[in-house]
Short mmCIF file of all heavy atoms in Angstrom, two decimals:
data_model
loop_
_atom_site.label_atom_id
_atom_site.label_comp_id
_atom_site.label_asym_id
_atom_site.label_seq_id
_atom_site.Cartn_x
_atom_site.Cartn_y
_atom_site.Cartn_z
N ASN A 1 1.45 -23.94 72.30
CA ASN A 1 0.23 -23.63 71.56
C ASN A 1 0.29 -22.29 70.86
O ASN A 1 -0.51 -22.01 70.01
CB ASN A 1 -0.97 -23.66 72.50
CG ASN A 1 -1.29 -25.05 72.99
OD1 ASN A 1 -0.84 -26.03 72.41
ND2 ASN A 1 -2.05 -25.15 74.05
N ARG A 2 1.25 -21.45 71.29
CA ARG A 2 1.36 -20.13 70.68
C ARG A 2 2.83 -19.73 70.62
O ARG A 2 3.66 -20.30 71.30
CB ARG A 2 0.56 -19.10 71.47
CG ARG A 2 1.08 -18.89 72.87
CD ARG A 2 0.18 -17.92 73.65
NE ARG A 2 0.58 -17.93 75.03
CZ ARG A 2 1.09 -16.88 75.66
NH1 ARG A 2 1.22 -15.75 75.03
NH2 ARG A 2 1.45 -16.96 76.91
N LEU A 3 3.11 -18.73 69.82
CA LEU A 3 4.47 -18.22 69.75
C LEU A 3 4.82 -17.56 71.08
O LEU A 3 3.97 -17.01 71.76
CB LEU A 3 4.60 -17.21 68.61
CG LEU A 3 4.44 -17.78 67.21
CD1 LEU A 3 4.44 -16.66 66.19
CD2 LEU A 3 5.53 -18.77 66.90
N SER A 4 6.07 -17.63 71.43
CA SER A 4 6.50 -17.05 72.70
C SER A 4 7.79 -16.28 72.49
O SER A 4 8.65 -16.70 71.74
CB SER A 4 6.71 -18.15 73.73
OG SER A 4 7.08 -17.61 74.96
N LEU A 5 7.90 -15.16 73.16
CA LEU A 5 9.15 -14.42 73.13
C LEU A 5 10.18 -15.19 73.95
O LEU A 5 9.86 -15.76 74.99
CB LEU A 5 8.96 -13.03 73.75
CG LEU A 5 8.09 -12.06 72.98
CD1 LEU A 5 7.90 -10.78 73.78
CD2 LEU A 5 8.71 -11.74 71.64
N GLN A 6 11.40 -15.19 73.49
CA GLN A 6 12.44 -15.93 74.17
C GLN A 6 12.62 -15.43 75.61
O GLN A 6 12.80 -16.22 76.53
CB GLN A 6 13.75 -15.80 73.40
CG GLN A 6 14.87 -16.62 74.00
CD GLN A 6 16.08 -16.67 73.10
OE1 GLN A 6 15.98 -16.50 71.89
NE2 GLN A 6 17.24 -16.87 73.68
N GLU A 7 12.53 -14.12 75.81
CA GLU A 7 12.67 -13.56 77.15
C GLU A 7 11.56 -14.06 78.08
O GLU A 7 11.81 -14.41 79.23
CB GLU A 7 12.65 -12.03 77.11
CG GLU A 7 13.83 -11.42 76.39
CD GLU A 7 13.63 -11.31 74.88
OE1 GLU A 7 12.62 -11.83 74.34
OE2 GLU A 7 14.51 -10.71 74.23
N ARG A 8 10.36 -14.09 77.56
CA ARG A 8 9.21 -14.55 78.36
C ARG A 8 9.35 -16.04 78.67
O ARG A 8 9.09 -16.48 79.79
CB ARG A 8 7.89 -14.28 77.63
CG ARG A 8 6.68 -14.63 78.47
CD ARG A 8 5.38 -14.28 77.80
NE ARG A 8 5.59 -13.69 76.48
CZ ARG A 8 4.68 -13.59 75.55
NH1 ARG A 8 3.48 -14.01 75.75
NH2 ARG A 8 4.95 -13.05 74.38
N LEU A 9 9.78 -16.82 77.70
CA LEU A 9 9.96 -18.25 77.89
C LEU A 9 11.02 -18.52 78.98
O LEU A 9 10.82 -19.37 79.85
CB LEU A 9 10.38 -18.92 76.58
CG LEU A 9 10.69 -20.41 76.64
CD1 LEU A 9 9.45 -21.20 77.08
CD2 LEU A 9 11.19 -20.90 75.30
N THR A 10 12.11 -17.76 78.94
CA THR A 10 13.17 -17.93 79.94
C THR A 10 12.62 -17.65 81.33
O THR A 10 12.88 -18.41 82.27
CB THR A 10 14.35 -16.98 79.62
OG1 THR A 10 14.74 -17.16 78.27
CG2 THR A 10 15.54 -17.25 80.52
N LYS A 11 11.86 -16.58 81.48
CA LYS A 11 11.27 -16.24 82.78
C LYS A 11 10.27 -17.30 83.23
O LYS A 11 10.23 -17.67 84.40
CB LYS A 11 10.59 -14.88 82.72
CG LYS A 11 9.99 -14.45 84.06
CD LYS A 11 9.25 -13.15 83.95
CE LYS A 11 8.67 -12.69 85.26
NZ LYS A 11 7.99 -13.69 86.05
N GLN A 12 9.47 -17.80 82.31
CA GLN A 12 8.49 -18.83 82.66
C GLN A 12 9.18 -20.10 83.17
O GLN A 12 8.68 -20.74 84.09
CB GLN A 12 7.60 -19.15 81.46
CG GLN A 12 6.62 -18.05 81.13
CD GLN A 12 5.88 -18.30 79.81
OE1 GLN A 12 6.37 -19.01 78.93
NE2 GLN A 12 4.72 -17.68 79.68
N ILE A 13 10.30 -20.46 82.58
CA ILE A 13 11.02 -21.65 83.03
C ILE A 13 11.57 -21.43 84.44
O ILE A 13 11.45 -22.30 85.31
CB ILE A 13 12.14 -22.03 82.04
CG1 ILE A 13 11.53 -22.48 80.71
CG2 ILE A 13 13.04 -23.13 82.62
CD1 ILE A 13 12.53 -22.63 79.58
N VAL A 14 12.16 -20.26 84.69
CA VAL A 14 12.67 -19.94 86.03
C VAL A 14 11.53 -19.98 87.04
O VAL A 14 11.65 -20.57 88.12
CB VAL A 14 13.37 -18.56 86.05
CG1 VAL A 14 13.59 -18.07 87.47
CG2 VAL A 14 14.68 -18.62 85.33
N ASP A 15 10.39 -19.37 86.70
CA ASP A 15 9.23 -19.36 87.61
C ASP A 15 8.75 -20.77 87.92
O ASP A 15 8.44 -21.10 89.06
CB ASP A 15 8.09 -18.52 87.02
CG ASP A 15 8.41 -17.04 86.96
OD1 ASP A 15 9.39 -16.60 87.63
OD2 ASP A 15 7.70 -16.31 86.25
N CYS A 16 8.70 -21.62 86.91
CA CYS A 16 8.25 -23.01 87.09
C CYS A 16 9.21 -23.79 87.98
O CYS A 16 8.78 -24.51 88.89
CB CYS A 16 8.10 -23.68 85.73
SG CYS A 16 7.46 -25.36 85.80
N LEU A 17 10.50 -23.65 87.73
CA LEU A 17 11.50 -24.34 88.56
C LEU A 17 11.40 -23.87 90.02
O LEU A 17 11.44 -24.69 90.94
CB LEU A 17 12.91 -24.09 88.02
CG LEU A 17 13.25 -24.77 86.70
CD1 LEU A 17 14.58 -24.25 86.16
CD2 LEU A 17 13.27 -26.27 86.84
N ASN A 18 11.27 -22.56 90.20
CA ASN A 18 11.15 -22.02 91.57
C ASN A 18 9.89 -22.53 92.27
O ASN A 18 9.93 -22.88 93.45
CB ASN A 18 11.17 -20.49 91.55
CG ASN A 18 12.55 -19.95 91.34
OD1 ASN A 18 13.53 -20.50 91.81
ND2 ASN A 18 12.63 -18.85 90.62
N GLU A 19 8.80 -22.58 91.54
CA GLU A 19 7.53 -23.01 92.12
C GLU A 19 7.55 -24.48 92.53
O GLU A 19 7.10 -24.84 93.62
CB GLU A 19 6.39 -22.78 91.13
CG GLU A 19 5.03 -23.21 91.64
CD GLU A 19 3.94 -23.03 90.61
OE1 GLU A 19 4.13 -22.29 89.62
OE2 GLU A 19 2.86 -23.65 90.79
N HIS A 20 8.09 -25.33 91.67
CA HIS A 20 8.00 -26.77 91.91
C HIS A 20 9.19 -27.36 92.67
O HIS A 20 9.03 -28.31 93.42
CB HIS A 20 7.81 -27.52 90.59
CG HIS A 20 6.50 -27.20 89.93
ND1 HIS A 20 5.31 -27.70 90.39
CD2 HIS A 20 6.20 -26.39 88.88
CE1 HIS A 20 4.32 -27.23 89.63
NE2 HIS A 20 4.85 -26.44 88.71
N LEU A 21 10.39 -26.80 92.45
CA LEU A 21 11.58 -27.36 93.09
C LEU A 21 12.02 -26.57 94.32
O LEU A 21 12.76 -27.08 95.15
CB LEU A 21 12.74 -27.43 92.08
CG LEU A 21 12.49 -28.29 90.85
CD1 LEU A 21 13.70 -28.25 89.93
CD2 LEU A 21 12.16 -29.73 91.25
N LYS A 22 11.62 -25.30 94.37
CA LYS A 22 11.96 -24.41 95.48
C LYS A 22 13.47 -24.39 95.76
O LYS A 22 13.92 -24.61 96.89
CB LYS A 22 11.18 -24.78 96.72
CG LYS A 22 9.68 -24.82 96.47
CD LYS A 22 8.87 -24.55 97.67
CE LYS A 22 7.38 -24.63 97.46
NZ LYS A 22 6.80 -24.35 96.22
N PRO A 23 14.29 -24.09 94.72
CA PRO A 23 15.73 -24.04 94.92
C PRO A 23 16.14 -22.76 95.64
O PRO A 23 15.38 -21.79 95.69
CB PRO A 23 16.28 -24.04 93.49
CG PRO A 23 15.22 -23.32 92.71
CD PRO A 23 13.92 -23.77 93.35
N LYS A 24 17.35 -22.75 96.16
CA LYS A 24 17.88 -21.53 96.79
C LYS A 24 18.25 -20.50 95.73
O LYS A 24 18.26 -19.30 95.99
CB LYS A 24 19.11 -21.86 97.64
CG LYS A 24 18.77 -22.67 98.87
CD LYS A 24 20.00 -22.95 99.68
CE LYS A 24 19.65 -23.76 100.91
NZ LYS A 24 20.83 -24.03 101.74
N GLY A 25 18.56 -20.97 94.56
CA GLY A 25 18.89 -20.10 93.44
C GLY A 25 18.72 -20.84 92.13
O GLY A 25 18.78 -22.07 92.10
N CYS A 26 18.48 -20.10 91.08
CA CYS A 26 18.20 -20.73 89.79
C CYS A 26 18.71 -19.82 88.67
O CYS A 26 18.56 -18.61 88.73
CB CYS A 26 16.69 -20.94 89.68
SG CYS A 26 16.15 -21.69 88.16
N ILE A 27 19.30 -20.44 87.64
CA ILE A 27 19.68 -19.72 86.43
C ILE A 27 19.19 -20.54 85.24
O ILE A 27 19.40 -21.74 85.17
CB ILE A 27 21.20 -19.55 86.30
CG1 ILE A 27 21.74 -18.66 87.40
CG2 ILE A 27 21.55 -18.95 84.94
CD1 ILE A 27 23.24 -18.46 87.33
N VAL A 28 18.54 -19.86 84.32
CA VAL A 28 18.13 -20.49 83.06
C VAL A 28 18.74 -19.67 81.94
O VAL A 28 18.62 -18.44 81.93
CB VAL A 28 16.59 -20.53 82.91
CG1 VAL A 28 16.19 -21.01 81.52
CG2 VAL A 28 15.98 -21.42 83.98
N GLU A 29 19.41 -20.34 81.04
CA GLU A 29 20.02 -19.68 79.88
C GLU A 29 19.51 -20.37 78.63
O GLU A 29 19.57 -21.59 78.51
CB GLU A 29 21.54 -19.78 79.95
CG GLU A 29 22.24 -19.13 78.81
CD GLU A 29 23.74 -19.14 78.97
OE1 GLU A 29 24.25 -19.05 80.10
OE2 GLU A 29 24.41 -19.26 77.92
N ILE A 30 19.00 -19.58 77.70
CA ILE A 30 18.51 -20.12 76.43
C ILE A 30 19.31 -19.48 75.31
O ILE A 30 19.40 -18.25 75.22
CB ILE A 30 17.01 -19.84 76.23
CG1 ILE A 30 16.19 -20.57 77.30
CG2 ILE A 30 16.57 -20.28 74.83
CD1 ILE A 30 14.69 -20.32 77.20
N ASN A 31 19.91 -20.31 74.48
CA ASN A 31 20.63 -19.87 73.28
C ASN A 31 19.88 -20.44 72.09
O ASN A 31 19.67 -21.64 72.01
CB ASN A 31 22.06 -20.41 73.27
CG ASN A 31 22.85 -19.93 74.46
OD1 ASN A 31 22.91 -18.74 74.72
ND2 ASN A 31 23.44 -20.85 75.19
N SER A 32 19.49 -19.56 71.18
CA SER A 32 18.71 -20.06 70.05
C SER A 32 18.97 -19.26 68.78
O SER A 32 19.41 -18.12 68.83
CB SER A 32 17.22 -20.05 70.39
OG SER A 32 16.79 -18.73 70.62
N LYS A 33 18.67 -19.91 67.69
CA LYS A 33 18.67 -19.25 66.39
C LYS A 33 17.23 -18.90 66.06
O LYS A 33 16.34 -19.72 66.24
CB LYS A 33 19.23 -20.16 65.30
CG LYS A 33 20.71 -20.37 65.39
CD LYS A 33 21.20 -21.14 64.19
CE LYS A 33 22.70 -21.28 64.26
NZ LYS A 33 23.23 -21.92 63.05
N HIS A 34 17.02 -17.71 65.59
CA HIS A 34 15.67 -17.26 65.24
C HIS A 34 15.55 -17.18 63.72
O HIS A 34 16.40 -16.60 63.05
CB HIS A 34 15.39 -15.89 65.86
CG HIS A 34 15.30 -15.94 67.35
ND1 HIS A 34 14.11 -16.02 68.01
CD2 HIS A 34 16.27 -15.94 68.31
CE1 HIS A 34 14.34 -16.07 69.30
NE2 HIS A 34 15.63 -16.01 69.52
N ALA A 35 14.50 -17.75 63.22
CA ALA A 35 14.28 -17.75 61.77
C ALA A 35 14.24 -16.32 61.22
O ALA A 35 14.74 -16.06 60.13
CB ALA A 35 12.99 -18.48 61.43
N CYS A 36 13.67 -15.39 61.99
CA CYS A 36 13.57 -14.02 61.51
C CYS A 36 14.96 -13.39 61.33
O CYS A 36 15.15 -12.55 60.46
CB CYS A 36 12.71 -13.18 62.44
SG CYS A 36 13.35 -13.04 64.11
N MET A 37 15.93 -13.81 62.14
CA MET A 37 17.29 -13.28 62.01
C MET A 37 18.02 -13.94 60.84
O MET A 37 18.87 -13.33 60.21
CB MET A 37 18.08 -13.53 63.30
CG MET A 37 17.58 -12.78 64.50
SD MET A 37 17.93 -11.02 64.40
CE MET A 37 19.66 -11.04 64.80
N CYS A 38 17.70 -15.19 60.57
CA CYS A 38 18.40 -15.95 59.52
C CYS A 38 17.81 -15.73 58.14
O CYS A 38 18.53 -15.72 57.15
CB CYS A 38 18.38 -17.44 59.85
SG CYS A 38 19.22 -17.85 61.39
N LEU A 39 16.51 -15.60 58.07
CA LEU A 39 15.84 -15.58 56.77
C LEU A 39 15.39 -14.19 56.32
O LEU A 39 15.29 -13.92 55.14
CB LEU A 39 14.61 -16.50 56.81
CG LEU A 39 14.91 -17.95 57.18
CD1 LEU A 39 13.61 -18.73 57.31
CD2 LEU A 39 15.82 -18.59 56.16
N ARG A 40 15.09 -13.34 57.29
CA ARG A 40 14.61 -12.00 56.96
C ARG A 40 15.55 -10.96 57.55
O ARG A 40 16.51 -11.29 58.22
CB ARG A 40 13.21 -11.77 57.53
CG ARG A 40 12.17 -12.74 57.00
CD ARG A 40 10.79 -12.42 57.52
NE ARG A 40 10.73 -12.75 58.94
CZ ARG A 40 10.03 -12.07 59.84
NH1 ARG A 40 9.35 -11.02 59.49
NH2 ARG A 40 10.01 -12.44 61.10
N GLY A 41 15.27 -9.73 57.32
CA GLY A 41 16.03 -8.65 57.95
C GLY A 41 17.51 -8.71 57.64
O GLY A 41 17.91 -8.64 56.49
N ILE A 42 18.33 -8.89 58.65
CA ILE A 42 19.78 -8.83 58.46
C ILE A 42 20.38 -10.09 57.84
O ILE A 42 21.52 -10.11 57.45
CB ILE A 42 20.50 -8.51 59.79
CG1 ILE A 42 20.25 -9.60 60.82
CG2 ILE A 42 20.10 -7.17 60.32
CD1 ILE A 42 21.07 -9.44 62.07
N LYS A 43 19.61 -11.16 57.80
CA LYS A 43 20.03 -12.43 57.18
C LYS A 43 21.38 -12.91 57.73
O LYS A 43 22.28 -13.28 56.99
CB LYS A 43 20.05 -12.33 55.67
CG LYS A 43 18.69 -12.08 55.09
CD LYS A 43 18.69 -12.07 53.61
CE LYS A 43 17.27 -11.80 53.13
NZ LYS A 43 17.18 -11.63 51.72
N SER A 44 21.47 -12.93 59.04
CA SER A 44 22.68 -13.39 59.71
C SER A 44 22.50 -14.85 60.09
O SER A 44 21.89 -15.18 61.10
CB SER A 44 22.94 -12.54 60.96
OG SER A 44 24.06 -13.02 61.65
N ILE A 45 23.04 -15.75 59.28
CA ILE A 45 22.82 -17.18 59.43
C ILE A 45 23.38 -17.72 60.74
O ILE A 45 22.81 -18.60 61.37
CB ILE A 45 23.42 -17.94 58.22
CG1 ILE A 45 22.65 -17.57 56.97
CG2 ILE A 45 23.37 -19.44 58.44
CD1 ILE A 45 23.26 -18.06 55.70
N ASP A 46 24.51 -17.21 61.19
CA ASP A 46 25.15 -17.71 62.41
C ASP A 46 24.75 -16.94 63.66
O ASP A 46 25.35 -17.13 64.72
CB ASP A 46 26.67 -17.67 62.25
CG ASP A 46 27.15 -18.63 61.18
OD1 ASP A 46 26.52 -19.69 61.02
OD2 ASP A 46 28.14 -18.32 60.50
N SER A 47 23.77 -16.10 63.55
CA SER A 47 23.35 -15.27 64.69
C SER A 47 22.66 -16.12 65.76
O SER A 47 21.78 -16.93 65.47
CB SER A 47 22.39 -14.20 64.17
OG SER A 47 21.68 -13.64 65.21
N ILE A 48 23.09 -15.96 67.02
CA ILE A 48 22.48 -16.66 68.14
C ILE A 48 22.03 -15.63 69.16
O ILE A 48 22.76 -14.71 69.48
CB ILE A 48 23.46 -17.65 68.79
CG1 ILE A 48 23.75 -18.78 67.81
CG2 ILE A 48 22.90 -18.20 70.10
CD1 ILE A 48 24.62 -19.88 68.34
N THR A 49 20.82 -15.79 69.64
CA THR A 49 20.27 -14.91 70.66
C THR A 49 20.32 -15.63 72.00
O THR A 49 19.87 -16.76 72.11
CB THR A 49 18.82 -14.53 70.32
OG1 THR A 49 18.80 -13.93 69.02
CG2 THR A 49 18.26 -13.55 71.32
N LYS A 50 20.88 -14.96 73.01
CA LYS A 50 21.04 -15.56 74.33
C LYS A 50 20.22 -14.75 75.33
O LYS A 50 20.27 -13.52 75.36
CB LYS A 50 22.50 -15.53 74.75
CG LYS A 50 22.75 -16.06 76.14
CD LYS A 50 24.17 -15.81 76.61
CE LYS A 50 25.15 -16.58 75.76
NZ LYS A 50 26.52 -16.55 76.29
N THR A 51 19.44 -15.46 76.15
CA THR A 51 18.74 -14.81 77.26
C THR A 51 19.08 -15.57 78.53
O THR A 51 19.17 -16.80 78.53
CB THR A 51 17.21 -14.78 77.08
OG1 THR A 51 16.73 -16.09 76.86
CG2 THR A 51 16.80 -13.90 75.93
N ILE A 52 19.30 -14.82 79.62
CA ILE A 52 19.60 -15.40 80.92
C ILE A 52 18.66 -14.78 81.94
O ILE A 52 18.48 -13.57 81.96
CB ILE A 52 21.06 -15.13 81.34
CG1 ILE A 52 22.04 -15.74 80.34
CG2 ILE A 52 21.31 -15.66 82.74
CD1 ILE A 52 23.48 -15.40 80.62
N LYS A 53 18.09 -15.63 82.76
CA LYS A 53 17.23 -15.17 83.87
C LYS A 53 17.68 -15.91 85.11
O LYS A 53 17.89 -17.12 85.09
CB LYS A 53 15.76 -15.46 83.56
CG LYS A 53 14.80 -15.07 84.64
CD LYS A 53 14.72 -13.58 84.79
CE LYS A 53 13.70 -13.23 85.86
NZ LYS A 53 13.92 -11.93 86.43
N SER A 54 17.85 -15.16 86.20
CA SER A 54 18.27 -15.77 87.45
C SER A 54 17.32 -15.39 88.56
O SER A 54 16.54 -14.45 88.44
CB SER A 54 19.69 -15.33 87.80
OG SER A 54 19.74 -13.93 87.96
N SER A 55 17.43 -16.13 89.67
CA SER A 55 16.61 -15.83 90.84
C SER A 55 17.32 -16.29 92.09
O SER A 55 18.34 -16.98 92.03
CB SER A 55 15.24 -16.52 90.72
OG SER A 55 15.40 -17.92 90.82
N GLY A 56 16.81 -15.90 93.23
CA GLY A 56 17.33 -16.37 94.50
C GLY A 56 18.74 -15.90 94.77
O GLY A 56 19.07 -14.73 94.59
N LEU A 57 19.59 -16.83 95.18
CA LEU A 57 20.96 -16.51 95.55
C LEU A 57 21.75 -15.85 94.42
O LEU A 57 22.62 -15.02 94.67
CB LEU A 57 21.70 -17.77 96.01
CG LEU A 57 21.24 -18.40 97.32
CD1 LEU A 57 22.03 -19.67 97.60
CD2 LEU A 57 21.38 -17.43 98.47
N PHE A 58 21.45 -16.22 93.19
CA PHE A 58 22.17 -15.64 92.06
C PHE A 58 21.85 -14.16 91.87
O PHE A 58 22.65 -13.41 91.34
CB PHE A 58 21.89 -16.43 90.77
CG PHE A 58 22.46 -17.80 90.80
CD1 PHE A 58 21.68 -18.90 91.10
CD2 PHE A 58 23.81 -18.02 90.55
CE1 PHE A 58 22.21 -20.18 91.14
CE2 PHE A 58 24.36 -19.29 90.58
CZ PHE A 58 23.55 -20.37 90.88
N ASP A 59 20.68 -13.74 92.31
CA ASP A 59 20.33 -12.32 92.24
C ASP A 59 20.92 -11.55 93.42
O ASP A 59 21.20 -10.36 93.31
CB ASP A 59 18.81 -12.13 92.25
CG ASP A 59 18.18 -12.49 90.92
OD1 ASP A 59 18.91 -12.63 89.93
OD2 ASP A 59 16.95 -12.63 90.87
N LYS A 60 21.10 -12.22 94.54
CA LYS A 60 21.55 -11.55 95.76
C LYS A 60 23.07 -11.53 95.90
O LYS A 60 23.61 -10.64 96.54
CB LYS A 60 20.95 -12.25 96.98
CG LYS A 60 19.45 -12.14 97.04
CD LYS A 60 18.88 -12.94 98.19
CE LYS A 60 17.36 -12.90 98.13
NZ LYS A 60 16.77 -13.88 99.01
N ASP A 61 23.75 -12.51 95.33
CA ASP A 61 25.20 -12.65 95.52
C ASP A 61 25.92 -12.47 94.18
O ASP A 61 25.95 -13.37 93.35
CB ASP A 61 25.50 -14.03 96.12
CG ASP A 61 26.96 -14.21 96.50
OD1 ASP A 61 27.81 -13.40 96.07
OD2 ASP A 61 27.24 -15.17 97.22
N GLU A 62 26.51 -11.31 93.99
CA GLU A 62 27.19 -10.99 92.74
C GLU A 62 28.37 -11.93 92.47
O GLU A 62 28.64 -12.29 91.33
CB GLU A 62 27.67 -9.54 92.78
CG GLU A 62 28.11 -9.01 91.44
CD GLU A 62 28.42 -7.52 91.51
OE1 GLU A 62 27.61 -6.76 92.04
OE2 GLU A 62 29.51 -7.16 91.01
N ASN A 63 29.06 -12.34 93.53
CA ASN A 63 30.20 -13.26 93.36
C ASN A 63 29.74 -14.62 92.84
O ASN A 63 30.44 -15.25 92.04
CB ASN A 63 30.94 -13.44 94.69
CG ASN A 63 31.70 -12.20 95.08
OD1 ASN A 63 32.20 -11.49 94.22
ND2 ASN A 63 31.77 -11.94 96.37
N LEU A 64 28.60 -15.07 93.28
CA LEU A 64 28.06 -16.35 92.81
C LEU A 64 27.73 -16.29 91.32
O LEU A 64 28.02 -17.21 90.56
CB LEU A 64 26.82 -16.72 93.63
CG LEU A 64 26.27 -18.13 93.47
CD1 LEU A 64 27.33 -19.17 93.83
CD2 LEU A 64 25.05 -18.31 94.35
N MET A 65 27.15 -15.17 90.88
CA MET A 65 26.85 -15.00 89.46
C MET A 65 28.14 -14.93 88.65
O MET A 65 28.23 -15.54 87.58
CB MET A 65 26.02 -13.73 89.24
CG MET A 65 25.65 -13.52 87.79
SD MET A 65 24.71 -14.85 87.03
CE MET A 65 23.07 -14.27 87.32
N ARG A 66 29.15 -14.24 89.16
CA ARG A 66 30.44 -14.19 88.47
C ARG A 66 31.05 -15.58 88.34
O ARG A 66 31.63 -15.93 87.32
CB ARG A 66 31.41 -13.26 89.21
CG ARG A 66 31.33 -11.86 88.69
CD ARG A 66 32.52 -11.05 89.14
NE ARG A 66 31.95 -9.90 89.83
CZ ARG A 66 32.16 -9.59 91.09
NH1 ARG A 66 32.95 -10.32 91.83
NH2 ARG A 66 31.60 -8.54 91.63
N LYS A 67 30.92 -16.38 89.39
CA LYS A 67 31.45 -17.76 89.36
C LYS A 67 30.75 -18.57 88.29
O LYS A 67 31.38 -19.33 87.55
CB LYS A 67 31.28 -18.41 90.72
CG LYS A 67 31.98 -19.75 90.86
CD LYS A 67 31.80 -20.35 92.21
CE LYS A 67 32.75 -19.69 93.19
NZ LYS A 67 32.83 -20.37 94.48
N TYR A 68 29.43 -18.44 88.18
CA TYR A 68 28.66 -19.14 87.15
C TYR A 68 29.18 -18.74 85.75
O TYR A 68 29.44 -19.60 84.92
CB TYR A 68 27.17 -18.82 87.25
CG TYR A 68 26.38 -19.21 86.04
CD1 TYR A 68 26.06 -20.54 85.79
CD2 TYR A 68 25.98 -18.26 85.11
CE1 TYR A 68 25.35 -20.90 84.66
CE2 TYR A 68 25.28 -18.61 83.97
CZ TYR A 68 24.97 -19.93 83.76
OH TYR A 68 24.27 -20.28 82.62
N ILE A 69 29.35 -17.46 85.54
CA ILE A 69 29.80 -16.97 84.24
C ILE A 69 31.21 -17.48 83.94
O ILE A 69 31.50 -17.88 82.80
CB ILE A 69 29.72 -15.44 84.18
CG1 ILE A 69 28.24 -15.01 84.18
CG2 ILE A 69 30.42 -14.89 82.95
CD1 ILE A 69 28.00 -13.54 84.40
N SER A 70 32.08 -17.50 84.94
CA SER A 70 33.46 -17.97 84.71
C SER A 70 33.50 -19.46 84.39
O SER A 70 34.37 -19.91 83.65
CB SER A 70 34.33 -17.65 85.92
OG SER A 70 34.03 -18.49 87.00
N LEU A 71 32.58 -20.24 84.92
CA LEU A 71 32.54 -21.68 84.64
C LEU A 71 32.12 -21.96 83.21
O LEU A 71 32.43 -23.02 82.66
CB LEU A 71 31.59 -22.38 85.61
CG LEU A 71 32.06 -22.50 87.05
CD1 LEU A 71 30.95 -23.06 87.92
CD2 LEU A 71 33.29 -23.36 87.12
N LYS A 72 31.42 -21.06 82.58
CA LYS A 72 30.94 -21.25 81.22
C LYS A 72 32.04 -21.04 80.19
O LYS A 72 31.90 -21.43 79.05
CB LYS A 72 29.79 -20.31 80.94
CG LYS A 72 28.56 -20.64 81.76
CD LYS A 72 27.43 -19.72 81.47
CE LYS A 72 27.07 -19.56 80.03
NZ LYS A 72 26.79 -20.71 79.22
N LYS A 73 33.13 -20.39 80.57
CA LYS A 73 34.20 -20.06 79.60
C LYS A 73 35.03 -21.25 79.26
O LYS A 73 35.18 -22.20 79.86
CB LYS A 73 35.06 -18.95 80.16
CG LYS A 73 34.30 -17.65 80.24
CD LYS A 73 35.19 -16.56 80.78
CE LYS A 73 34.39 -15.26 80.87
NZ LYS A 73 35.16 -14.17 81.39
#
């Protein structure tokens, strides 16, 4: 219903997953193109903005977060 900052949206998704699914850990990653980056300002057509929010075990265990990042490569 309203515009949302990508960072806020990422956090809201993590909060919703934690509330309803009650996982031991959660990571949400959003990659998107923003019209303001493509059409105005720097006019970078291929620019992608990435936000990552984690909770639970991923916040407590640095090795687990490293494993997640290595799997994405």
Side-chain angles (χ1 to χ4, degrees):
N1 291 342
R2 63 184 171 115
L3 293 174
S4 182
L5 293 175
Q6 184 170 335
E7 294 86 353
R8 185 176 0 162
L9 177 61
T10 309
K11 182 184 181 315
Q12 288 172 336
I13 294 170
V14 166
D15 291 345
C16 183
L17 290 170
N18 283 325
E19 179 183 343
H20 294 286
L21 300 179
K22 306 207 182 331
K24 291 181 180 181
C26 179
I27 295 180
V28 172
E29 180 175 326
I30 296 178
N31 300 307
S32 63
K33 288 187 177 185
H34 292 263
C36 61
M37 294 288 284
C38 298
L39 303 174
R40 299 184 289 145
I42 62 172
K43 296 184 180 174
S44 177
I45 294 171
D46 294 327
S47 164
I48 293 184
T49 304
K50 177 189 295 189
T51 55
I52 299 174
K53 178 68 178 157
S54 61
S55 68
L57 292 177
F58 292 100
D59 285 346
K60 296 175 185 167
D61 187 346
E62 192 173 312
N63 289 326
L64 191 58
M65 181 59 93
R66 268 195 237 120
K67 189 179 280 190
Y68 165 76
I69 291 169
S70 73
L71 289 173
K72 293 180 52 54
K73 292 181 181 180

